[in-house]
Amino acid sequence: MKRIHHDGFPVEQHNVQTKDGYVLTIHRIPCRQRKLDDHVLQKRPVVLLMAGIYASSDVWLLNGAEDSLPYLLSNNGYDVWLGNNRGNIYSRHNIWYNDTQPEFWNFSWHEMSVYDLPATIDFIRACTGEERMHFIGISQGGTIFLVLNSMLPQYNKYFKTAVLLAPVTYVGNTKAPLAKLFGPLLGTRNYISKILEGVEMVSTNKYVKKFLSMTCLKSEPPRACVSRLWPAVGYNTQMLNLTLLPDLMANFPVGGSFKQLMHYFQGYISKNFRQYDYGREMNWLRYHQLEPPAYQLEKVTVPVILFFAQNDYIIALEDMFKLIKNLPNVKMLYKLPPKYWNHFDFICGLRVREFIYNKVIDEFNFYEYHHR
């Protein structure tokens, strides 16, 4: 990636093929030696980062060479891997379908969980020789981690710890305007939602990206720029680093399916965290029951560190507490202290290094020191 080279870090690019034919491009920042208590550790721990919905590995780098989490991890001696899910700008190839066919886009984050993430993890383990790794996921990145380890619990043993930044699971109490407006239509089984199952949600067209970035070029971003965030995260952007908006808009959104969003809308309607609802007849054929099965979070045994915020319009506190109650191994909880911290601030918030990234590295360093 040119951005990583530009910021002064080495980078590798690898292609990973999933069992259902998608080719994912993942990026690696090879680690640098790290020291703990003046003792050089030859072991170089692996960390995998997964971004949120309609985003790519690029969003982790928006804070620049000094404050982006992957660079901070690399400077602390970690072997950093940045994953990409099917459908985003780095993963738009399938060995059987092209991205103009409905079959290509007929996926939700369930398929990312049971195909993309296992393929990525298996590749990293084979490439590095490391049996286990740390994991960091934001928003949908947390979703797919929890689904993976509930659906394929054998993968729990491949993780040392997992840091989940505002993971989206239960959304029955969400305050997100998009869910309230479109949830009743797109979160239920009907003619429109069936048609949209094979449609791309957001385009990576270069002209669309150019338009999004151009609307945010002024020093005081115009209302049109900031308002594009409102339907997703709410109307308070006091903690958002506005200087990053042009770069954010140039790198988000970068491709994905309608089905991803509709799967979350289904959770809003059902108030449950469960597999995709195909309607009673198809559910019976797929799941051998009329309603989709719930994800069994009690099977997620990885030590989990959760970061959440009270002003997160997507994840209400009631829904976060429900997740916490259902996870068997929550090691640490961090509630973001700023009153107005919202969902986008986990990537582009003011003082995000202080509030989140330094704490993440401290947790990983503590683990590595005590498991040498």
Side-chain angles (χ1 to χ4, degrees):
M1 294 171 63
K2 292 182 180 179
R3 180 190 291 265
I4 295 176
H5 274 304
H6 178 269
D7 289 337
F9 289 79
V11 62
E12 299 172 4
Q13 181 169 299
H14 301 272
N15 290 331
V16 177
Q17 184 174 312
T18 69
K19 289 183 177 180
D20 58 345
Y22 287 85
V23 180
L24 317 174
T25 298
I26 62 177
H27 301 102
R28 180 190 193 185
I29 304 175
C31 63
R32 303 173 177 182
Q33 270 191 338
R34 72 198 270 266
K35 290 184 179 181
L36 288 177
D37 292 348
D38 296 323
H39 296 290
V40 177
L41 297 182
Q42 297 301 321
K43 184 180 179 182
R44 299 178 174 184
V46 174
V47 184
L48 170 61
L49 293 84
M50 296 300 301
I53 192 169
Y54 305 141
S56 75
S57 54
D58 290 337
V59 300
W60 294 107
L61 310 173
L62 297 180
N63 288 285
E66 299 298 322
D67 294 313
S68 293
L69 183 54
Y71 300 146
L72 296 172
L73 288 164
S74 180
N75 286 334
N76 275 266
Y78 289 88
D79 188 356
V80 181
W81 293 77
L82 306 175
N84 285 293
N85 289 313
R86 62 186 65 194
N88 78 22
I89 194 170
Y90 292 113
S91 304
R92 296 176 67 89
H93 179 66
N94 184 290
I95 61 174
W96 293 299
Y97 308 113
N98 63 56
D99 60 8
T100 63
Q101 296 176 281
E103 292 86 354
F104 183 96
W105 297 106
N106 193 6
F107 61 80
S108 81
W109 36 262
H110 178 86
E111 285 73 26
M112 297 175 179
S113 307
V114 298
Y115 294 120
D116 296 9
L117 200 49
T120 300
I121 292 163
D122 292 346
F123 180 89
I124 293 172
R125 291 177 59 242
C127 185
T128 63
E130 289 292 316
E131 182 73 8
R132 304 169 69 216
M133 66 190 70
H134 297 283
F135 180 87
I136 304 172
I138 184 169
S139 191
Q140 182 187 257
T143 307
I144 65 175
F145 174 84
L146 295 171
V147 173
L148 164 69
N149 289 289
S150 64
M151 294 294 297
L152 302 172
Q154 65 269 28
Y155 275 84
N156 279 279
K157 65 178 180 285
Y158 299 139
F159 297 102
K160 299 174 179 179
T161 59
V163 172
L164 306 184
L165 309 176
V168 185
T169 54
Y170 300 100
V171 290
N173 296 291
T174 186
K175 295 178 285 185
L178 275 181
K180 296 179 180 297
L181 183 61
F182 295 108
L185 174 64
L186 300 182
T188 55
R189 196 70 178 162
N190 55 60
Y191 179 75
I192 295 176
S193 60
K194 288 180 184 178
I195 294 233
L196 291 176
E197 283 177 355
V199 175
E200 182 180 10
M201 171 62 179
V202 287
S203 175
T204 56
N205 183 287
K206 64 180 180 180
Y207 300 107
V208 174
K209 292 181 66 177
K210 183 68 173 177
F211 170 77
L212 291 176
S213 62
M214 285 179 63
T215 58
C216 298
L217 290 179
K218 297 181 181 179
S219 57
E220 289 294 329
R223 184 180 181 87
C225 174
V226 180
S227 68
R228 286 205 307 278
L229 303 178
W230 290 350
V233 300
Y235 295 92
N236 200 311
T237 55
Q238 291 186 26
M239 294 303 299
L240 188 67
N241 187 344
L242 297 180
T243 63
L244 298 180
L245 273 176
D247 208 10
L248 173 62
M249 293 304 172
N251 291 279
F252 177 86
V254 288
S257 71
F258 249 108
K259 199 172 180 181
Q260 289 171 254
L261 191 60
M262 291 195 296
H263 199 167
Y264 284 127
F265 285 158
Q266 289 183 358
Y268 171 68
I269 297 299
S270 70
K271 299 188 182 300
N272 205 340
F273 184 47
R274 63 186 191 179
Q275 295 189 47
Y276 194 85
D277 189 350
Y278 290 94
R280 293 169 69 84
E281 181 178 342
M282 287 302 298
N283 286 343
W284 184 260
L285 294 175
R286 284 175 173 264
Y287 309 128
H288 306 294
Q289 58 188 64
L290 297 177
E291 297 293 327
Y295 293 115
Q296 298 178 333
L297 292 174
E298 66 274 10
K299 293 184 177 180
V300 183
T301 59
V302 181
V304 171
I305 301 163
L306 287 170
F307 286 79
F308 63 99
Q310 70 180 52
N311 188 49
D312 189 332
Y313 268 49
I314 293 178
I315 308 168
L317 290 180
E318 302 97 307
D319 292 329
M320 179 57 67
F321 295 149
K322 188 174 182 179
L323 170 63
I324 293 168
K325 181 180 178 181
N326 284 288
L327 284 176
N329 196 7
V330 177
K331 178 185 176 184
M332 192 75 67
L333 294 173
Y334 287 102
K335 181 181 177 183
L336 275 297
K339 180 179 179 182
Y340 298 112
W341 195 275
N342 69 33
H343 202 70
F344 263 109
D345 295 335
F346 284 91
I347 283 287
C348 293
L350 294 168
R351 298 164 63 192
V352 66
R353 177 175 177 177
E354 172 190 345
F355 288 130
I356 299 178
Y357 297 166
N358 289 344
K359 290 180 172 60
V360 171
I361 293 171
D362 286 345
E363 291 289 347
F364 288 174
N365 286 348
F366 181 85
Y367 180 95
E368 294 298 329
Y369 181 81
H370 288 277
H371 292 82
R372 287 187 294 178

